[in-house]
Amino acid sequence: MRFLVSRRLCLLAVAFVLAWPGLAAAEDVQLWTVATVSHALDDRFALHLAGRVRFDDDVSQSKDYLIRPYGSWKATDSISLQLGYDRLQSVRSRDEHRAWQSVSYRQLWRDLSLGHRIRLDERFVEGVGGPVVRSRYRLRGTHPLGSTPWYMASSDEVFVNLNDQHEGPVGGFEQNRLRVALGWKASRWRVEGGYEWHYARRRDRVGEHRHVFVLEFSYATR
């Protein structure tokens, strides 16, 4: 039953985005590369450091760079809390600082793992008169490929800005990211590559369709 409810929520999120009236939009092909190192302090607390580089304009030039230090606390086997900071350095647009908090909940249904994540961002964007508060919800599912270290993954994430400073990020629904991916996990390493389809609303131009190829590397020190 829980699996059916989660699947319906995912389908509703996708349907909501597909029905958005501004969906006729500019298109771009991008490449996002992400690397994360994690260090467990004990059975419940861990520290993490992530870095991301994005290439846009049909993967012809750098878009921005992000550094993300954060901590996590495993409250139960299913629930974890995260607290972090983002430093986004843009090449041709506005720089941004973010403080953020998130809670994650994991469900297991046979070999299928479902992860729910709710995150709140406090965004301080260069040239914008005040903070922009953004909420994010992601539903992610993973399934192993037999007894191998390989797995399949899919996710959908919806972004909504809760206020509008009348400049910078637009208020209300901002973007949606839908991903399909193939991953490999063994020992302390995890590698995942896939495709994301994005739709993003922008204040100063028409919305954007992004075709994003994602490559992620993760390493746990212990």
Side-chain angles (χ1 to χ4, degrees), residues 2 4 13 24-25 30 35 53 61 65-66 73 83 95 97 106 120 126 134 140 145 160 162 176 206 218:
R2 290 179 179 176
L4 292 175
Q30 301 186 6
V53 181
Q61 54 188 336
Y65 310 88
L66 181 141
W73 174 57
L83 178 67
D95 295 342
H97 299 266
R106 182 168 172 259
L120 193 67
E126 181 183 14
R134 180 172 68 182
R140 173 179 163 91
L145 297 178
V160 177
L162 302 181
N176 189 87
V206 297
S218 299

mmCIF file with all atom_site columns, all heavy atoms in Angstrom, residues 2 4 13 24-25 30 35 53 61 65-66 73 83 95 97 106 120 126 134 140 145 160 162 176 206 218:
data_model
loop_
_atom_site.group_PDB
_atom_site.id
_atom_site.type_symbol
_atom_site.label_atom_id
_atom_site.label_alt_id
_atom_site.label_comp_id
_atom_site.label_asym_id
_atom_site.label_entity_id
_atom_site.label_seq_id
_atom_site.pdbx_PDB_ins_code
_atom_site.Cartn_x
_atom_site.Cartn_y
_atom_site.Cartn_z
_atom_site.occupancy
_atom_site.B_iso_or_equiv
_atom_site.pdbx_formal_charge
_atom_site.auth_seq_id
_atom_site.auth_comp_id
_atom_site.auth_asym_id
_atom_site.auth_atom_id
_atom_site.pdbx_PDB_model_num
ATOM 1   N N   . ARG A 1 2   ? 1.903  1.280  0.865   1.00 0.00 ? 2   ARG A N   1
ATOM 2   C CA  . ARG A 1 2   ? 2.778  2.451  0.893   1.00 0.00 ? 2   ARG A CA  1
ATOM 3   C C   . ARG A 1 2   ? 3.445  2.680  -0.458  1.00 0.00 ? 2   ARG A C   1
ATOM 4   O O   . ARG A 1 2   ? 3.619  3.803  -0.917  1.00 0.00 ? 2   ARG A O   1
ATOM 5   C CB  . ARG A 1 2   ? 3.851  2.286  1.973   1.00 0.00 ? 2   ARG A CB  1
ATOM 6   C CG  . ARG A 1 2   ? 3.293  2.364  3.387   1.00 0.00 ? 2   ARG A CG  1
ATOM 7   C CD  . ARG A 1 2   ? 4.423  2.173  4.388   1.00 0.00 ? 2   ARG A CD  1
ATOM 8   N NE  . ARG A 1 2   ? 3.935  2.272  5.757   1.00 0.00 ? 2   ARG A NE  1
ATOM 9   C CZ  . ARG A 1 2   ? 4.690  2.078  6.823   1.00 0.00 ? 2   ARG A CZ  1
ATOM 10  N NH1 . ARG A 1 2   ? 5.976  1.780  6.665   1.00 0.00 ? 2   ARG A NH1 1
ATOM 11  N NH2 . ARG A 1 2   ? 4.182  2.193  8.030   1.00 0.00 ? 2   ARG A NH2 1
ATOM 12  N N   . LEU A 1 4   ? 2.235  1.901  -3.400  1.00 0.00 ? 4   LEU A N   1
ATOM 13  C CA  . LEU A 1 4   ? 1.257  2.431  -4.341  1.00 0.00 ? 4   LEU A CA  1
ATOM 14  C C   . LEU A 1 4   ? 1.011  3.912  -4.096  1.00 0.00 ? 4   LEU A C   1
ATOM 15  O O   . LEU A 1 4   ? 0.918  4.702  -5.037  1.00 0.00 ? 4   LEU A O   1
ATOM 16  C CB  . LEU A 1 4   ? -0.053 1.652  -4.216  1.00 0.00 ? 4   LEU A CB  1
ATOM 17  C CG  . LEU A 1 4   ? -0.012 0.184  -4.674  1.00 0.00 ? 4   LEU A CG  1
ATOM 18  C CD1 . LEU A 1 4   ? -1.338 -0.490 -4.391  1.00 0.00 ? 4   LEU A CD1 1
ATOM 19  C CD2 . LEU A 1 4   ? 0.327  0.101  -6.163  1.00 0.00 ? 4   LEU A CD2 1
ATOM 20  N N   . ALA A 1 13  ? 3.138  14.441 -9.329  1.00 0.00 ? 13  ALA A N   1
ATOM 21  C CA  . ALA A 1 13  ? 4.134  15.512 -9.480  1.00 0.00 ? 13  ALA A CA  1
ATOM 22  C C   . ALA A 1 13  ? 4.519  15.689 -10.939 1.00 0.00 ? 13  ALA A C   1
ATOM 23  O O   . ALA A 1 13  ? 4.623  16.806 -11.448 1.00 0.00 ? 13  ALA A O   1
ATOM 24  C CB  . ALA A 1 13  ? 5.368  15.200 -8.631  1.00 0.00 ? 13  ALA A CB  1
ATOM 25  N N   . ALA A 1 24  ? 6.101  25.539 -22.980 1.00 0.00 ? 24  ALA A N   1
ATOM 26  C CA  . ALA A 1 24  ? 6.829  25.878 -24.201 1.00 0.00 ? 24  ALA A CA  1
ATOM 27  C C   . ALA A 1 24  ? 8.004  26.750 -23.794 1.00 0.00 ? 24  ALA A C   1
ATOM 28  O O   . ALA A 1 24  ? 7.825  27.834 -23.266 1.00 0.00 ? 24  ALA A O   1
ATOM 29  C CB  . ALA A 1 24  ? 5.922  26.617 -25.165 1.00 0.00 ? 24  ALA A CB  1
ATOM 30  N N   . ALA A 1 25  ? 9.228  26.255 -24.002 1.00 0.00 ? 25  ALA A N   1
ATOM 31  C CA  . ALA A 1 25  ? 10.372 26.909 -23.386 1.00 0.00 ? 25  ALA A CA  1
ATOM 32  C C   . ALA A 1 25  ? 11.625 26.689 -24.208 1.00 0.00 ? 25  ALA A C   1
ATOM 33  O O   . ALA A 1 25  ? 11.669 25.885 -25.122 1.00 0.00 ? 25  ALA A O   1
ATOM 34  C CB  . ALA A 1 25  ? 10.573 26.353 -21.976 1.00 0.00 ? 25  ALA A CB  1
ATOM 35  N N   . GLN A 1 30  ? 22.988 20.041 -20.813 1.00 0.00 ? 30  GLN A N   1
ATOM 36  C CA  . GLN A 1 30  ? 23.971 20.353 -19.784 1.00 0.00 ? 30  GLN A CA  1
ATOM 37  C C   . GLN A 1 30  ? 24.621 19.085 -19.244 1.00 0.00 ? 30  GLN A C   1
ATOM 38  O O   . GLN A 1 30  ? 24.074 17.985 -19.382 1.00 0.00 ? 30  GLN A O   1
ATOM 39  C CB  . GLN A 1 30  ? 23.311 21.123 -18.632 1.00 0.00 ? 30  GLN A CB  1
ATOM 40  C CG  . GLN A 1 30  ? 22.660 22.433 -19.048 1.00 0.00 ? 30  GLN A CG  1
ATOM 41  C CD  . GLN A 1 30  ? 22.136 23.233 -17.875 1.00 0.00 ? 30  GLN A CD  1
ATOM 42  O OE1 . GLN A 1 30  ? 22.329 22.885 -16.708 1.00 0.00 ? 30  GLN A OE1 1
ATOM 43  N NE2 . GLN A 1 30  ? 21.464 24.339 -18.176 1.00 0.00 ? 30  GLN A NE2 1
ATOM 44  N N   . ALA A 1 35  ? 30.912 15.295 -6.802  1.00 0.00 ? 35  ALA A N   1
ATOM 45  C CA  . ALA A 1 35  ? 31.766 14.421 -5.995  1.00 0.00 ? 35  ALA A CA  1
ATOM 46  C C   . ALA A 1 35  ? 31.478 14.692 -4.526  1.00 0.00 ? 35  ALA A C   1
ATOM 47  O O   . ALA A 1 35  ? 31.395 15.850 -4.109  1.00 0.00 ? 35  ALA A O   1
ATOM 48  C CB  . ALA A 1 35  ? 33.234 14.649 -6.292  1.00 0.00 ? 35  ALA A CB  1
ATOM 49  N N   . VAL A 1 53  ? 30.225 20.798 -10.398 1.00 0.00 ? 53  VAL A N   1
ATOM 50  C CA  . VAL A 1 53  ? 30.533 21.672 -11.530 1.00 0.00 ? 53  VAL A CA  1
ATOM 51  C C   . VAL A 1 53  ? 29.462 21.444 -12.585 1.00 0.00 ? 53  VAL A C   1
ATOM 52  O O   . VAL A 1 53  ? 29.152 20.294 -12.925 1.00 0.00 ? 53  VAL A O   1
ATOM 53  C CB  . VAL A 1 53  ? 31.926 21.379 -12.114 1.00 0.00 ? 53  VAL A CB  1
ATOM 54  C CG1 . VAL A 1 53  ? 32.218 22.317 -13.277 1.00 0.00 ? 53  VAL A CG1 1
ATOM 55  C CG2 . VAL A 1 53  ? 33.003 21.504 -11.042 1.00 0.00 ? 53  VAL A CG2 1
ATOM 56  N N   . GLN A 1 61  ? 30.402 25.358 -22.177 1.00 0.00 ? 61  GLN A N   1
ATOM 57  C CA  . GLN A 1 61  ? 31.104 26.256 -21.271 1.00 0.00 ? 61  GLN A CA  1
ATOM 58  C C   . GLN A 1 61  ? 30.649 26.030 -19.831 1.00 0.00 ? 61  GLN A C   1
ATOM 59  O O   . GLN A 1 61  ? 29.580 25.470 -19.592 1.00 0.00 ? 61  GLN A O   1
ATOM 60  C CB  . GLN A 1 61  ? 30.873 27.712 -21.663 1.00 0.00 ? 61  GLN A CB  1
ATOM 61  C CG  . GLN A 1 61  ? 29.429 28.120 -21.782 1.00 0.00 ? 61  GLN A CG  1
ATOM 62  C CD  . GLN A 1 61  ? 29.285 29.523 -22.354 1.00 0.00 ? 61  GLN A CD  1
ATOM 63  O OE1 . GLN A 1 61  ? 30.184 30.340 -22.271 1.00 0.00 ? 61  GLN A OE1 1
ATOM 64  N NE2 . GLN A 1 61  ? 28.133 29.805 -22.947 1.00 0.00 ? 61  GLN A NE2 1
ATOM 65  N N   . TYR A 1 65  ? 29.923 26.716 -10.083 1.00 0.00 ? 65  TYR A N   1
ATOM 66  C CA  . TYR A 1 65  ? 30.608 25.787 -9.192  1.00 0.00 ? 65  TYR A CA  1
ATOM 67  C C   . TYR A 1 65  ? 29.943 25.864 -7.829  1.00 0.00 ? 65  TYR A C   1
ATOM 68  O O   . TYR A 1 65  ? 29.592 26.954 -7.361  1.00 0.00 ? 65  TYR A O   1
ATOM 69  C CB  . TYR A 1 65  ? 32.085 26.161 -9.046  1.00 0.00 ? 65  TYR A CB  1
ATOM 70  C CG  . TYR A 1 65  ? 32.794 26.392 -10.352 1.00 0.00 ? 65  TYR A CG  1
ATOM 71  C CD1 . TYR A 1 65  ? 32.791 27.665 -10.944 1.00 0.00 ? 65  TYR A CD1 1
ATOM 72  C CD2 . TYR A 1 65  ? 33.450 25.355 -11.001 1.00 0.00 ? 65  TYR A CD2 1
ATOM 73  C CE1 . TYR A 1 65  ? 33.438 27.883 -12.146 1.00 0.00 ? 65  TYR A CE1 1
ATOM 74  C CE2 . TYR A 1 65  ? 34.102 25.573 -12.207 1.00 0.00 ? 65  TYR A CE2 1
ATOM 75  C CZ  . TYR A 1 65  ? 34.089 26.830 -12.774 1.00 0.00 ? 65  TYR A CZ  1
ATOM 76  O OH  . TYR A 1 65  ? 34.718 27.049 -13.963 1.00 0.00 ? 65  TYR A OH  1
ATOM 77  N N   . LEU A 1 66  ? 29.777 24.722 -7.183  1.00 0.00 ? 66  LEU A N   1
ATOM 78  C CA  . LEU A 1 66  ? 29.122 24.691 -5.880  1.00 0.00 ? 66  LEU A CA  1
ATOM 79  C C   . LEU A 1 66  ? 29.952 23.881 -4.896  1.00 0.00 ? 66  LEU A C   1
ATOM 80  O O   . LEU A 1 66  ? 30.440 22.797 -5.221  1.00 0.00 ? 66  LEU A O   1
ATOM 81  C CB  . LEU A 1 66  ? 27.718 24.103 -5.998  1.00 0.00 ? 66  LEU A CB  1
ATOM 82  C CG  . LEU A 1 66  ? 26.889 24.016 -4.712  1.00 0.00 ? 66  LEU A CG  1
ATOM 83  C CD1 . LEU A 1 66  ? 25.422 24.362 -4.994  1.00 0.00 ? 66  LEU A CD1 1
ATOM 84  C CD2 . LEU A 1 66  ? 26.963 22.620 -4.098  1.00 0.00 ? 66  LEU A CD2 1
ATOM 85  N N   . TRP A 1 73  ? 22.468 13.418 10.834  1.00 0.00 ? 73  TRP A N   1
ATOM 86  C CA  . TRP A 1 73  ? 22.186 12.674 12.057  1.00 0.00 ? 73  TRP A CA  1
ATOM 87  C C   . TRP A 1 73  ? 21.124 11.631 11.755  1.00 0.00 ? 73  TRP A C   1
ATOM 88  O O   . TRP A 1 73  ? 20.053 11.946 11.246  1.00 0.00 ? 73  TRP A O   1
ATOM 89  C CB  . TRP A 1 73  ? 21.691 13.612 13.157  1.00 0.00 ? 73  TRP A CB  1
ATOM 90  C CG  . TRP A 1 73  ? 21.240 12.891 14.394  1.00 0.00 ? 73  TRP A CG  1
ATOM 91  C CD1 . TRP A 1 73  ? 21.977 12.029 15.159  1.00 0.00 ? 73  TRP A CD1 1
ATOM 92  C CD2 . TRP A 1 73  ? 19.935 12.959 15.010  1.00 0.00 ? 73  TRP A CD2 1
ATOM 93  N NE1 . TRP A 1 73  ? 21.228 11.557 16.218  1.00 0.00 ? 73  TRP A NE1 1
ATOM 94  C CE2 . TRP A 1 73  ? 19.975 12.123 16.151  1.00 0.00 ? 73  TRP A CE2 1
ATOM 95  C CE3 . TRP A 1 73  ? 18.770 13.670 14.712  1.00 0.00 ? 73  TRP A CE3 1
ATOM 96  C CZ2 . TRP A 1 73  ? 18.874 11.955 16.990  1.00 0.00 ? 73  TRP A CZ2 1
ATOM 97  C CZ3 . TRP A 1 73  ? 17.679 13.505 15.540  1.00 0.00 ? 73  TRP A CZ3 1
ATOM 98  C CH2 . TRP A 1 73  ? 17.733 12.659 16.664  1.00 0.00 ? 73  TRP A CH2 1
ATOM 99  N N   . LEU A 1 83  ? 21.841 19.127 7.895   1.00 0.00 ? 83  LEU A N   1
ATOM 100 C CA  . LEU A 1 83  ? 21.975 20.568 8.063   1.00 0.00 ? 83  LEU A CA  1
ATOM 101 C C   . LEU A 1 83  ? 23.219 21.002 7.302   1.00 0.00 ? 83  LEU A C   1
ATOM 102 O O   . LEU A 1 83  ? 24.298 20.429 7.494   1.00 0.00 ? 83  LEU A O   1
ATOM 103 C CB  . LEU A 1 83  ? 22.113 20.914 9.547   1.00 0.00 ? 83  LEU A CB  1
ATOM 104 C CG  . LEU A 1 83  ? 22.303 22.393 9.912   1.00 0.00 ? 83  LEU A CG  1
ATOM 105 C CD1 . LEU A 1 83  ? 21.043 23.181 9.583   1.00 0.00 ? 83  LEU A CD1 1
ATOM 106 C CD2 . LEU A 1 83  ? 22.650 22.522 11.391  1.00 0.00 ? 83  LEU A CD2 1
ATOM 107 N N   . ASP A 1 95  ? 25.884 35.089 -7.976  1.00 0.00 ? 95  ASP A N   1
ATOM 108 C CA  . ASP A 1 95  ? 26.357 34.170 -6.951  1.00 0.00 ? 95  ASP A CA  1
ATOM 109 C C   . ASP A 1 95  ? 25.266 33.988 -5.903  1.00 0.00 ? 95  ASP A C   1
ATOM 110 O O   . ASP A 1 95  ? 24.346 34.807 -5.775  1.00 0.00 ? 95  ASP A O   1
ATOM 111 C CB  . ASP A 1 95  ? 27.630 34.705 -6.294  1.00 0.00 ? 95  ASP A CB  1
ATOM 112 C CG  . ASP A 1 95  ? 28.798 34.788 -7.271  1.00 0.00 ? 95  ASP A CG  1
ATOM 113 O OD1 . ASP A 1 95  ? 28.730 34.138 -8.334  1.00 0.00 ? 95  ASP A OD1 1
ATOM 114 O OD2 . ASP A 1 95  ? 29.760 35.506 -6.970  1.00 0.00 ? 95  ASP A OD2 1
ATOM 115 N N   . HIS A 1 97  ? 24.413 32.209 -1.769  1.00 0.00 ? 97  HIS A N   1
ATOM 116 C CA  . HIS A 1 97  ? 24.696 31.480 -0.529  1.00 0.00 ? 97  HIS A CA  1
ATOM 117 C C   . HIS A 1 97  ? 23.382 30.865 -0.055  1.00 0.00 ? 97  HIS A C   1
ATOM 118 O O   . HIS A 1 97  ? 22.324 31.503 -0.149  1.00 0.00 ? 97  HIS A O   1
ATOM 119 C CB  . HIS A 1 97  ? 25.233 32.419 0.556   1.00 0.00 ? 97  HIS A CB  1
ATOM 120 C CG  . HIS A 1 97  ? 26.519 33.094 0.196   1.00 0.00 ? 97  HIS A CG  1
ATOM 121 N ND1 . HIS A 1 97  ? 27.748 32.584 0.553   1.00 0.00 ? 97  HIS A ND1 1
ATOM 122 C CD2 . HIS A 1 97  ? 26.771 34.236 -0.485  1.00 0.00 ? 97  HIS A CD2 1
ATOM 123 C CE1 . HIS A 1 97  ? 28.701 33.392 0.121   1.00 0.00 ? 97  HIS A CE1 1
ATOM 124 N NE2 . HIS A 1 97  ? 28.140 34.404 -0.522  1.00 0.00 ? 97  HIS A NE2 1
ATOM 125 N N   . ARG A 1 106 ? 13.164 6.742  4.693   1.00 0.00 ? 106 ARG A N   1
ATOM 126 C CA  . ARG A 1 106 ? 13.423 5.618  3.791   1.00 0.00 ? 106 ARG A CA  1
ATOM 127 C C   . ARG A 1 106 ? 12.429 4.495  4.054   1.00 0.00 ? 106 ARG A C   1
ATOM 128 O O   . ARG A 1 106 ? 12.179 4.123  5.202   1.00 0.00 ? 106 ARG A O   1
ATOM 129 C CB  . ARG A 1 106 ? 14.850 5.121  3.993   1.00 0.00 ? 106 ARG A CB  1
ATOM 130 C CG  . ARG A 1 106 ? 15.279 3.990  3.087   1.00 0.00 ? 106 ARG A CG  1
ATOM 131 C CD  . ARG A 1 106 ? 16.784 3.798  3.186   1.00 0.00 ? 106 ARG A CD  1
ATOM 132 N NE  . ARG A 1 106 ? 17.241 2.614  2.475   1.00 0.00 ? 106 ARG A NE  1
ATOM 133 C CZ  . ARG A 1 106 ? 17.533 1.460  3.055   1.00 0.00 ? 106 ARG A CZ  1
ATOM 134 N NH1 . ARG A 1 106 ? 17.415 1.343  4.374   1.00 0.00 ? 106 ARG A NH1 1
ATOM 135 N NH2 . ARG A 1 106 ? 17.948 0.436  2.342   1.00 0.00 ? 106 ARG A NH2 1
ATOM 136 N N   . LEU A 1 120 ? 14.422 22.529 3.070   1.00 0.00 ? 120 LEU A N   1
ATOM 137 C CA  . LEU A 1 120 ? 14.111 23.952 3.112   1.00 0.00 ? 120 LEU A CA  1
ATOM 138 C C   . LEU A 1 120 ? 15.404 24.729 2.908   1.00 0.00 ? 120 LEU A C   1
ATOM 139 O O   . LEU A 1 120 ? 16.382 24.533 3.643   1.00 0.00 ? 120 LEU A O   1
ATOM 140 C CB  . LEU A 1 120 ? 13.473 24.319 4.449   1.00 0.00 ? 120 LEU A CB  1
ATOM 141 C CG  . LEU A 1 120 ? 12.816 25.699 4.541   1.00 0.00 ? 120 LEU A CG  1
ATOM 142 C CD1 . LEU A 1 120 ? 11.592 25.762 3.636   1.00 0.00 ? 120 LEU A CD1 1
ATOM 143 C CD2 . LEU A 1 120 ? 12.431 26.011 5.983   1.00 0.00 ? 120 LEU A CD2 1
ATOM 144 N N   . GLU A 1 126 ? 22.863 37.158 -4.904  1.00 0.00 ? 126 GLU A N   1
ATOM 145 C CA  . GLU A 1 126 ? 23.513 38.440 -5.192  1.00 0.00 ? 126 GLU A CA  1
ATOM 146 C C   . GLU A 1 126 ? 22.559 39.374 -5.926  1.00 0.00 ? 126 GLU A C   1
ATOM 147 O O   . GLU A 1 126 ? 21.926 39.003 -6.909  1.00 0.00 ? 126 GLU A O   1
ATOM 148 C CB  . GLU A 1 126 ? 24.763 38.196 -6.042  1.00 0.00 ? 126 GLU A CB  1
ATOM 149 C CG  . GLU A 1 126 ? 25.550 39.439 -6.387  1.00 0.00 ? 126 GLU A CG  1
ATOM 150 C CD  . GLU A 1 126 ? 26.730 39.149 -7.285  1.00 0.00 ? 126 GLU A CD  1
ATOM 151 O OE1 . GLU A 1 126 ? 26.792 38.039 -7.856  1.00 0.00 ? 126 GLU A OE1 1
ATOM 152 O OE2 . GLU A 1 126 ? 27.600 40.031 -7.426  1.00 0.00 ? 126 GLU A OE2 1
ATOM 153 N N   . ARG A 1 134 ? 12.945 28.571 -0.057  1.00 0.00 ? 134 ARG A N   1
ATOM 154 C CA  . ARG A 1 134 ? 12.504 27.585 -1.054  1.00 0.00 ? 134 ARG A CA  1
ATOM 155 C C   . ARG A 1 134 ? 12.287 26.232 -0.391  1.00 0.00 ? 134 ARG A C   1
ATOM 156 O O   . ARG A 1 134 ? 13.102 25.779 0.403   1.00 0.00 ? 134 ARG A O   1
ATOM 157 C CB  . ARG A 1 134 ? 13.549 27.454 -2.165  1.00 0.00 ? 134 ARG A CB  1
ATOM 158 C CG  . ARG A 1 134 ? 13.170 26.438 -3.242  1.00 0.00 ? 134 ARG A CG  1
ATOM 159 C CD  . ARG A 1 134 ? 14.133 26.489 -4.407  1.00 0.00 ? 134 ARG A CD  1
ATOM 160 N NE  . ARG A 1 134 ? 15.472 26.024 -4.055  1.00 0.00 ? 134 ARG A NE  1
ATOM 161 C CZ  . ARG A 1 134 ? 16.512 26.017 -4.894  1.00 0.00 ? 134 ARG A CZ  1
ATOM 162 N NH1 . ARG A 1 134 ? 16.351 26.482 -6.127  1.00 0.00 ? 134 ARG A NH1 1
ATOM 163 N NH2 . ARG A 1 134 ? 17.689 25.588 -4.514  1.00 0.00 ? 134 ARG A NH2 1
ATOM 164 N N   . ARG A 1 140 ? 12.582 9.304  -4.454  1.00 0.00 ? 140 ARG A N   1
ATOM 165 C CA  . ARG A 1 140 ? 13.613 8.555  -5.178  1.00 0.00 ? 140 ARG A CA  1
ATOM 166 C C   . ARG A 1 140 ? 13.448 7.067  -4.893  1.00 0.00 ? 140 ARG A C   1
ATOM 167 O O   . ARG A 1 140 ? 13.222 6.667  -3.740  1.00 0.00 ? 140 ARG A O   1
ATOM 168 C CB  . ARG A 1 140 ? 15.000 9.012  -4.740  1.00 0.00 ? 140 ARG A CB  1
ATOM 169 C CG  . ARG A 1 140 ? 16.166 8.181  -5.296  1.00 0.00 ? 140 ARG A CG  1
ATOM 170 C CD  . ARG A 1 140 ? 17.489 8.754  -4.808  1.00 0.00 ? 140 ARG A CD  1
ATOM 171 N NE  . ARG A 1 140 ? 18.602 7.831  -4.939  1.00 0.00 ? 140 ARG A NE  1
ATOM 172 C CZ  . ARG A 1 140 ? 19.400 7.755  -6.003  1.00 0.00 ? 140 ARG A CZ  1
ATOM 173 N NH1 . ARG A 1 140 ? 19.194 8.562  -7.028  1.00 0.00 ? 140 ARG A NH1 1
ATOM 174 N NH2 . ARG A 1 140 ? 20.395 6.892  -6.051  1.00 0.00 ? 140 ARG A NH2 1
ATOM 175 N N   . LEU A 1 145 ? 20.150 -4.714 -9.294  1.00 0.00 ? 145 LEU A N   1
ATOM 176 C CA  . LEU A 1 145 ? 20.085 -5.579 -10.476 1.00 0.00 ? 145 LEU A CA  1
ATOM 177 C C   . LEU A 1 145 ? 20.640 -6.947 -10.094 1.00 0.00 ? 145 LEU A C   1
ATOM 178 O O   . LEU A 1 145 ? 21.845 -7.211 -10.176 1.00 0.00 ? 145 LEU A O   1
ATOM 179 C CB  . LEU A 1 145 ? 20.875 -4.956 -11.630 1.00 0.00 ? 145 LEU A CB  1
ATOM 180 C CG  . LEU A 1 145 ? 20.352 -3.621 -12.142 1.00 0.00 ? 145 LEU A CG  1
ATOM 181 C CD1 . LEU A 1 145 ? 21.228 -3.074 -13.256 1.00 0.00 ? 145 LEU A CD1 1
ATOM 182 C CD2 . LEU A 1 145 ? 18.907 -3.748 -12.615 1.00 0.00 ? 145 LEU A CD2 1
ATOM 183 N N   . VAL A 1 160 ? 9.696  24.808 -4.934  1.00 0.00 ? 160 VAL A N   1
ATOM 184 C CA  . VAL A 1 160 ? 8.721  25.885 -4.807  1.00 0.00 ? 160 VAL A CA  1
ATOM 185 C C   . VAL A 1 160 ? 9.316  26.980 -3.934  1.00 0.00 ? 160 VAL A C   1
ATOM 186 O O   . VAL A 1 160 ? 9.720  26.719 -2.786  1.00 0.00 ? 160 VAL A O   1
ATOM 187 C CB  . VAL A 1 160 ? 7.397  25.389 -4.183  1.00 0.00 ? 160 VAL A CB  1
ATOM 188 C CG1 . VAL A 1 160 ? 6.424  26.547 -3.995  1.00 0.00 ? 160 VAL A CG1 1
ATOM 189 C CG2 . VAL A 1 160 ? 6.765  24.304 -5.050  1.00 0.00 ? 160 VAL A CG2 1
ATOM 190 N N   . LEU A 1 162 ? 8.778  30.018 -1.542  1.00 0.00 ? 162 LEU A N   1
ATOM 191 C CA  . LEU A 1 162 ? 7.671  30.373 -0.660  1.00 0.00 ? 162 LEU A CA  1
ATOM 192 C C   . LEU A 1 162 ? 7.458  31.876 -0.550  1.00 0.00 ? 162 LEU A C   1
ATOM 193 O O   . LEU A 1 162 ? 6.458  32.309 0.041   1.00 0.00 ? 162 LEU A O   1
ATOM 194 C CB  . LEU A 1 162 ? 7.904  29.772 0.729   1.00 0.00 ? 162 LEU A CB  1
ATOM 195 C CG  . LEU A 1 162 ? 8.077  28.245 0.761   1.00 0.00 ? 162 LEU A CG  1
ATOM 196 C CD1 . LEU A 1 162 ? 8.275  27.762 2.186   1.00 0.00 ? 162 LEU A CD1 1
ATOM 197 C CD2 . LEU A 1 162 ? 6.877  27.551 0.118   1.00 0.00 ? 162 LEU A CD2 1
ATOM 198 N N   . ASN A 1 176 ? 11.233 21.578 -11.771 1.00 0.00 ? 176 ASN A N   1
ATOM 199 C CA  . ASN A 1 176 ? 11.050 20.152 -11.531 1.00 0.00 ? 176 ASN A CA  1
ATOM 200 C C   . ASN A 1 176 ? 12.215 19.401 -12.180 1.00 0.00 ? 176 ASN A C   1
ATOM 201 O O   . ASN A 1 176 ? 12.672 19.777 -13.265 1.00 0.00 ? 176 ASN A O   1
ATOM 202 C CB  . ASN A 1 176 ? 9.730  19.659 -12.119 1.00 0.00 ? 176 ASN A CB  1
ATOM 203 C CG  . ASN A 1 176 ? 9.414  18.232 -11.692 1.00 0.00 ? 176 ASN A CG  1
ATOM 204 O OD1 . ASN A 1 176 ? 8.817  18.014 -10.643 1.00 0.00 ? 176 ASN A OD1 1
ATOM 205 N ND2 . ASN A 1 176 ? 9.818  17.258 -12.490 1.00 0.00 ? 176 ASN A ND2 1
ATOM 206 N N   . VAL A 1 206 ? 11.714 33.281 -20.892 1.00 0.00 ? 206 VAL A N   1
ATOM 207 C CA  . VAL A 1 206 ? 10.793 32.143 -20.929 1.00 0.00 ? 206 VAL A CA  1
ATOM 208 C C   . VAL A 1 206 ? 11.383 31.003 -20.119 1.00 0.00 ? 206 VAL A C   1
ATOM 209 O O   . VAL A 1 206 ? 12.575 30.974 -19.812 1.00 0.00 ? 206 VAL A O   1
ATOM 210 C CB  . VAL A 1 206 ? 10.554 31.693 -22.381 1.00 0.00 ? 206 VAL A CB  1
ATOM 211 C CG1 . VAL A 1 206 ? 9.885  32.786 -23.174 1.00 0.00 ? 206 VAL A CG1 1
ATOM 212 C CG2 . VAL A 1 206 ? 11.859 31.247 -23.044 1.00 0.00 ? 206 VAL A CG2 1
ATOM 213 N N   . SER A 1 218 ? 30.772 9.153  -5.078  1.00 0.00 ? 218 SER A N   1
ATOM 214 C CA  . SER A 1 218 ? 30.687 9.264  -3.618  1.00 0.00 ? 218 SER A CA  1
ATOM 215 C C   . SER A 1 218 ? 31.691 8.306  -2.989  1.00 0.00 ? 218 SER A C   1
ATOM 216 O O   . SER A 1 218 ? 31.867 7.167  -3.458  1.00 0.00 ? 218 SER A O   1
ATOM 217 C CB  . SER A 1 218 ? 29.281 8.927  -3.120  1.00 0.00 ? 218 SER A CB  1
ATOM 218 O OG  . SER A 1 218 ? 28.322 9.819  -3.665  1.00 0.00 ? 218 SER A OG  1
#
